[in-house]
Structure formats: C-alpha cells, structure tokens
Amino acid sequence: MSPRGKSLLAIQRRWRWVYIGWDATTASLAYWMLYSFRKTAIEPSLFGIDHLLWGNKFYIGIFATTFLWLASLWLVGMYNNPLRKSRLKEMGRIVQVGIVFVLCYFLAFLLDDYVGSTLDYFHIGGRFAAAILLLSLGGRIFIASLIRRQIRNKRFAFPTLLIGTRDFIEPKIQDIKRHGQASGEVFVGWVNILDDGDCDALDGIPMVSSIDGVSECFLSLDVEDCIVALPENMHGSLSSLILVLEQLESRIFMFPDTYGILSGQVQMDDHGLPLVEWHLNPMTAFQAHSKRLVDVTISTLALIICAPIYLLLALCVKWSSKGGALYRQERLGLKGKPFFIIKFRSMLQDAEGLKPLLSKDDDPRITRVGKVMRKYRLDELPQFWNILVGDMSLVGPRPERRYFAQQILQRAPQYQHIYKVRPGLTSWGMVRFGYASQVDEMIKRMEYDLIYIENITFFNDLKVVIYTIWTILKGRGL
C-alpha cells in the first residue's frame, strides 16, 4: 500500500532506497570478507604459495551475492512500508532470512570449494554469516531509529481519521492520542457514524464529515490511516464500512469485540490500547512475490511449449467461421482495474451485438470448433499472455465484465473482495461450480472464490490446478 500524499510518497521512496543501498553494501562487504579470507588464509596454505592474486571472479561474485541478497529481502517483503517498521520484528525477520540465505549460499557456492580440512568450512561459513547478520541488523536498526526520530520530530506524519461514536471514543481519547503520537499519526478529523446531529469537535479533533462522505473526506485530507471505534453492539454494521475503507486502501485499525479478543487477533501497544489491524492483502509479501514468480515461469514455458498448439487452434478457428482467431474482451482485474482478456474466438463474429450476454448450453452462437475448445478449455490458452504481463494469475477468481460485476455488487457487496487479488486462468469457483450462465449463478460461484481468497496458499493453488487438469481431461469444461 503506497501513501496517498505526494510528499509522504517521496519520503517513503527515499528511505526505501536507503535500505536497499545499505543491504547492497552489507552483501558486498560480506563477500569481500569471505573472498579475502580464502585468498589470504586458506588457498595459500592449501597450494603452498604466499599469496594468490584476486581475479575477475571477485567482481562476478560480489555482483551475484549482492543481487541474491537483495532479491531474498525483496521476496519476503523487507522493502514494504519502510516508514512503519518495528525494530524488534525487523531483527527477527533479518535473522530468519539471513540464516536461510547463508545455508542456501553455502550449499550452492561454498560446499565444493577447495579446503584444507572440514574445519575450514566453519571458518568460511561462520565469517560470511556473521558479516551478513551483524551488518544487516546494525544498519537496519540504525535506519529505523533515524526514521523514528524524524516521526517524533514531526518531520512527517500519517494523516488519520477517527470513525465512531462520541460516547465510545471520549473515554479512550487520551489513550488514542498517545497511540497516535507514538506511531506518527496525526488526527485530521473524526466522523460521527450516528445521524444524531452531533457536529462538535472531539477533544480538539474537528468533526469533518458524516459517514456518507467518508470517501470524499479521505481524498481531500490525504488520509492514510483510520481507527474505527464502535461499541460491540454496533459491530454488525462494520461490513459496509470496511468495504468502503478497503476501496480507499486505508490502513484500518479497529477496537475489537469479545470474539476478536478471544481469537488472539488483538495487538497491545505501549499505552495499553487494544487494536485489531484489518489486513487489506490476503497474502503475505512472500506469498505474493513467490506466486508472481511461479506465474511468470509457468506462463513463459506454456507460451513456448504450446506455440504449435496455438498455431493449430488459430487455423481451426479461422477455418470454422468468418473473423479473427483471437478475441479480446474487457474484464475487471486487480483493484477493479480494467484489462483486455485474450481468448481464441469460440463464437460467431459480433455474436453479442450491443448488449453483453452470457453464454449457455446449446448456445447457437458457439461454432463447432468453439464447442470442442470450450469442452477442454482450449479457448483459454492465450490467457497465458495475460498472466505473463501481470493482468492475471494462474489461479485466482475468474474476471467478469463491468456490466455483470455491477449487477453482482448491487446484490452481493462482498464481491468487492474479489479485487484484492489478480484474477486467474482457473479458480476454485470454476472447478467446484463451473461456468455461470446468469447472475444468480455468478453469485453462487463467488462464494467459492471468496473462500479461496481467504485461504490462499501454494498448496491450495496446486489443488486447484490438479482439479482443473482433471476437469479438462474429462471434458467437463462447458
């Protein structure tokens, strides 16, 4: 999630480069220490000479080591939200990533090195691990401390909106303000969720909008965070509010109900303020980045390996009816942004006319070749290009056209959650429910996709792919 204000966005970008620069320096220094130890301590005694010259491999090694270390940190999300890092959590994550990185590096590059004895492995690996971990920990703690000092000195802050009722907020307002001061939040206003005519300030915090004007308020005040403070008996009205705040990509904190406390979701800050953070992204940074890497790898291989099949299907489509072999149609993807999905044309040219229509069984618009392609889902194969360029993922909820998405949202507002992830070539809804020929069926299929979104894992993606292959082999694609 990027900051809304331009100045805060520039500050975040600058500090991210500071982190990247220090991590690159760390990897370079660690490799220099490793290389110099080999050239001055191990190899001279091993080969019976006083000193070995440093060759061009040093520069290759230092570049490769730096790249791999930066890539490892990026993969686990160490460059996300550089202005909001907990130093304690940062230490734990660096230790975890560093240990795994050093082990993999040792097995890949150091295990087959020339050594005089097994003990040399411990000297080499130990020095490299100590350099990576100590330099990373020291540098990152120092950088995070500089950022915290700038926050305390009001060099920058995070505009925050307080949403709730006066009766619930007033007894907690001092704790809320101390929490905001510690975390760099500046309260630009509060929103009264009740329609009771209360427009007065709340302990110096101005009342800036009613609940109906939250969206406009966020944009006009460049709001980054919001704290939702509602009594437990009003938590039933949270769903519609959360949907609005998610669309605004705000960082959301809430006072929990009893279930939230007992479920262990509550985090306690230094001032005893119990808050639950509502996570906008259903995936961790590691899940999101690794999923994208898998998508790029598989789509690249598929486009190369399936090239002859693409050519054959294109010729069959051209032969079966007038019109082009490929068909482009606008769909809604990640964050509701439109993109053009690519398919092999399975219907007659201009089959829809002016009004979007869903296909159905025995649809006369489907060509003979189109029926075969749909049965085995071969018409979907060009979407590997959509996956490669980042419009789609291998597994994810199927994208819909704006015309039908608006109808679904009117009847099932929770459909908005679909836009949290990239749409997929296949989905849990497709393998468990199949194609939908009307909006009611789309809503039923949506329930499967929402379950998938809240349970995204590599193994669940693998399960969907296996089910999809089985469906294709059985010819149940229609």
Side-chain angles (χ1 to χ4, degrees):
M1 184 180 69
S2 297
R4 202 179 311 276
K6 291 182 179 179
S7 61
L8 199 57
L9 183 62
I11 293 171
Q12 176 172 278
R13 188 182 296 117
R14 183 166 63 248
W15 281 107
R16 179 179 288 118
W17 279 111
V18 171
Y19 275 112
I20 293 172
W22 177 252
D23 291 331
T25 303
T26 294
S28 300
L29 289 173
Y31 183 79
W32 174 80
M33 293 174 66
L34 168 69
Y35 195 86
S36 61
F37 178 72
R38 283 198 55 83
K39 293 298 182 183
T40 58
I42 294 180
E43 292 185 4
S45 61
L46 184 63
F47 298 113
I49 56 177
D50 294 333
H51 186 72
L52 289 178
L53 295 175
W54 291 22
N56 292 330
K57 289 185 178 180
F58 169 76
Y59 301 104
I60 298 173
I62 203 169
F63 174 80
T65 302
T66 301
F67 173 79
L68 292 172
W69 178 237
L70 294 179
S72 299
L73 295 175
W74 166 82
L75 188 64
V76 298
M78 295 299 288
Y79 299 120
N80 294 350
N81 300 322
L83 303 181
R84 299 176 184 260
K85 290 185 178 293
S86 162
R87 285 167 288 188
L88 189 60
K89 291 181 180 179
E90 191 82 348
M91 290 172 63
R93 294 179 70 188
I94 280 291
V95 170
Q96 291 174 342
V97 177
I99 290 174
V100 174
F101 176 80
V102 169
L103 286 174
C104 294
Y105 192 91
F106 179 81
L107 294 174
F109 303 113
L110 304 180
L111 188 59
D112 60 347
D113 267 4
Y114 293 108
V115 293
S117 67
T118 305
L119 190 61
D120 288 338
Y121 283 129
F122 292 97
H123 289 307
I124 296 171
R127 281 172 168 77
F128 185 67
I132 282 283
L133 291 175
L134 293 178
L135 288 171
S136 293
L137 286 171
R140 282 181 162 266
I141 291 173
F142 179 71
I143 294 170
S145 298
L146 290 178
I147 295 173
R148 295 295 300 175
R149 178 179 294 180
Q150 288 202 352
I151 290 176
R152 286 196 301 269
N153 294 336
K154 309 293 185 183
R155 296 289 296 275
F156 62 87
F158 308 102
T160 302
L161 202 62
L162 196 54
I163 302 175
T165 64
R166 181 181 293 274
D167 291 342
F168 188 81
I169 295 174
E170 274 188 332
K172 303 175 176 61
I173 190 63
Q174 296 307 318
D175 287 337
I176 292 174
K177 283 189 171 183
R178 282 193 290 270
H179 162 82
Q181 186 176 8
S183 57
E185 295 173 339
V186 173
F187 294 99
V188 295
W190 81 285
V191 173
N192 186 4
I193 200 170
L194 298 177
D195 188 16
D196 57 3
D198 184 0
C199 299
D200 295 333
L202 184 59
D203 198 50
I205 302 174
M207 197 276 199
V208 293
S209 172
S210 65
I211 192 63
D212 295 330
V214 167
S215 298
E216 293 78 8
C217 185
F218 262 76
L219 298 176
S220 62
L221 297 175
D222 287 332
V223 173
E224 298 291 335
D225 300 354
C226 70
I227 297 178
V228 179
L230 295 175
E232 193 167 333
N233 62 355
M234 295 186 66
H235 277 212
S237 61
L238 275 175
S239 297
S240 57
L241 176 60
I242 292 297
L243 286 173
V244 173
L245 297 177
E246 281 188 335
Q247 286 181 280
L248 295 168
E249 298 186 12
S250 167
R251 194 180 187 196
I252 308 168
F253 295 95
M254 296 181 293
F255 281 87
D257 55 14
T258 303
Y259 173 77
I261 295 173
L262 295 177
S263 64
Q265 300 175 351
V266 180
Q267 297 179 355
M268 190 74 72
D269 72 355
D270 295 336
H271 308 288
L273 193 65
L275 290 174
V276 174
E277 183 173 359
W278 184 270
H279 294 286
L280 299 180
N281 196 328
M283 293 183 285
T284 64
F286 176 74
Q287 286 177 310
H289 292 154
S290 57
K291 184 177 173 69
R292 180 64 188 141
L293 287 174
V294 171
D295 287 341
V296 171
T297 302
I298 292 179
S299 59
T300 301
L301 292 174
L303 289 169
I304 295 172
I305 295 171
C306 296
I309 300 176
Y310 287 140
L311 179 60
L312 178 61
L313 290 175
L315 293 174
C316 290
V317 171
K318 290 287 289 182
W319 169 79
S320 66
S321 62
K322 294 174 60 177
L326 295 176
Y327 178 63
R328 297 171 74 248
Q329 190 178 71
E330 187 180 271
R331 301 288 178 97
L332 299 182
L334 181 65
K335 298 180 181 180
K337 295 179 180 177
F339 72 98
F340 284 96
I341 197 171
I342 306 174
K343 292 185 175 187
F344 281 118
R345 183 173 57 83
S346 60
M347 290 187 174
L348 298 172
Q349 191 174 21
D350 300 326
E352 281 195 331
L354 298 177
K355 182 180 178 181
L357 297 171
L358 292 170
S359 62
K360 54 187 178 180
D361 295 337
D362 300 323
D363 195 317
R365 299 174 298 163
I366 302 175
T367 65
R368 286 181 297 171
V369 172
K371 288 181 179 179
V372 176
M373 289 195 301
R374 282 175 168 240
K375 184 176 182 180
Y376 296 99
R377 297 191 180 175
L378 298 175
D379 58 320
E380 313 279 4
L381 285 178
Q383 289 164 43
F384 280 113
W385 175 255
N386 290 115
I387 296 173
L388 181 63
V389 298
D391 294 329
M392 297 175 63
S393 179
L394 186 64
V395 179
R398 287 296 290 169
E400 299 294 350
R401 284 174 278 180
R402 189 185 301 275
Y403 177 82
F404 296 110
Q406 289 174 345
Q407 294 183 49
I408 298 172
L409 281 169
Q410 289 175 358
R411 297 174 53 182
Q414 65 271 27
Y415 182 76
Q416 186 69 40
H417 290 294
I418 292 290
Y419 300 135
K420 286 184 175 183
V421 297
R422 286 186 177 89
L425 175 63
T426 185
S427 72
W428 186 236
M430 286 296 294
V431 299
R432 302 307 296 171
F433 187 88
Y435 284 105
S437 58
Q438 52 184 315
V439 174
D440 287 337
E441 293 179 350
M442 287 180 167
I443 293 175
K444 291 180 181 178
R445 187 176 65 189
M446 172 201 68
E447 295 174 1
Y448 291 98
D449 288 330
L450 291 179
I451 292 172
Y452 164 78
I453 289 173
E454 296 304 320
N455 296 275
I456 292 181
T457 64
F458 172 79
F459 293 104
N460 281 340
D461 279 8
L462 184 61
K463 181 165 67 174
V464 172
V465 170
I466 292 172
Y467 270 104
T468 301
I469 294 173
W470 181 246
T471 299
I472 291 172
L473 291 177
K474 295 184 72 174
R476 297 195 316 212
L478 287 173

